Amino acid sequence: MISLGPTDALLVIDMQNDFCPGGALAVERGDEIVPLINQLGQRFEHVILTQDWHPAGHISFASSHPGKQPFETTELDYGTQTLWPDHCVQGTPGADFHPGLNLPHAELILRKGFRRHIDSYSAFLEDDHTTPTGLASYLRERGLKRLFLCGLAYDFCVRYSAIDGVATGFECIVIEDATRAVGLSGSVQETQEVLRSSRVAHTSSLNI
Ligand code: VGL
Ligand code: ZN
């Protein structure tokens, strides 16, 4: 069992309708983890939610790149961008949290991906690897040091948040059974390798 204290936080990544079955960018069985995340939330004094929050016409949407289809890639100034179906458009039902998510004591909802020309998988840094979201300063000012990550999607936003979290000086632990993956070609295996070879730790909800 991991003993939890006042400098720990549960970071719940993008538990939104568009990433759940029936949504625009559905993660297979993404909704399955909602009850588990609710249960985990009760173990933490501090809970932070992230919300993917794109303007219409966002650069990560295939529809913004004539001739491109969702899940193809394109080259942008900051590197290779996977192109997605339109998803999590600001103010739409798809951008809302899953209706079963029950974390009323969450202290912060951090929105990301709201700049039209930059995507943001990570809760810390946008995909240009330089624009901060403000989360690191928030956590430091609040004295929060250790983050337990869960949510969607394991191979994108959870992955990049955990990697940037440790790079920024936070201890990061992915609760693997409280995540689900998009699963593009090889992305799950690559994520496992990248996380295993970084300082990101992983655990099961059974230890929490
Ligand atoms: C995500 C793809 C595009 C995620 C967000 O939350 O993992 N994936 N936008
Ligand atoms: Zn997105």
Side-chain angles (χ1 to χ4, degrees):
M1 272 324 232
I2 298 172
S3 95
L4 299 175
T7 60
D8 293 325
L10 182 68
L11 183 58
V12 181
I13 304 289
D14 299 358
M15 281 308 301
Q16 295 165 260
N17 289 326
D18 269 344
F19 296 125
C20 291
L25 176 38
V27 174
E28 208 180 318
R29 304 187 296 133
D31 55 339
E32 246 178 44
I33 58 177
V34 168
L36 181 56
I37 292 175
N38 291 342
Q39 203 184 312
L40 284 165
Q42 293 178 14
R43 306 267 301 116
F44 286 82
E45 183 178 333
H46 305 292
V47 176
I48 294 168
L49 312 180
T50 68
Q51 191 172 27
D52 210 37
W53 196 248
H54 301 309
H58 190 250
I59 198 158
S60 75
F61 297 169
S63 62
S64 303
H65 303 265
K68 289 286 190 180
Q69 295 300 314
F71 309 108
E72 291 180 358
T73 59
T74 194
E75 296 306 317
L76 301 178
D77 339 330
Y78 57 76
T80 304
Q81 170 76 50
T82 300
L83 297 173
W84 304 105
D86 292 21
H87 65 280
C88 298
V89 175
Q90 297 170 1
T92 63
D96 287 344
F97 290 112
H98 186 285
L101 198 68
N102 186 20
L103 298 165
H105 63 304
E107 295 169 354
L108 175 71
I109 297 173
L110 182 100
R111 288 175 168 169
K112 62 182 182 60
F114 51 76
R115 290 186 174 80
R116 200 157 97 78
H117 296 285
I118 320 179
D119 202 6
S120 187
Y121 294 147
S122 160
F124 289 92
L125 281 183
E126 301 198 14
D127 288 4
D128 60 358
H129 307 297
T130 44
T131 306
T133 63
L135 181 60
S137 304
Y138 174 89
L139 294 171
R140 283 201 196 100
E141 198 166 3
R142 301 277 327 276
L144 299 169
K145 296 181 165 43
R146 186 166 65 161
L147 304 176
F148 290 80
L149 290 88
C150 61
L152 303 171
Y154 171 73
D155 42 351
F156 287 91
C157 290
V158 174
R159 166 185 173 171
Y160 287 94
S161 298
I163 294 286
D164 285 350
V166 294
T168 315
F170 299 94
E171 194 179 335
C172 289
I173 302 164
V174 175
I175 308 172
E176 287 192 321
D177 55 325
T179 69
R180 290 288 182 272
V182 172
L184 300 188
S185 63
S187 63
V188 170
Q189 205 193 328
E190 187 185 302
T191 301
Q192 274 165 347
E193 285 165 10
V194 167
L195 295 183
R196 298 289 189 271
S197 62
S198 72
R199 282 167 293 145
V200 175
H202 59 98
T203 191
S204 153
S205 61
L206 296 172
N207 297 322
I208 294 173

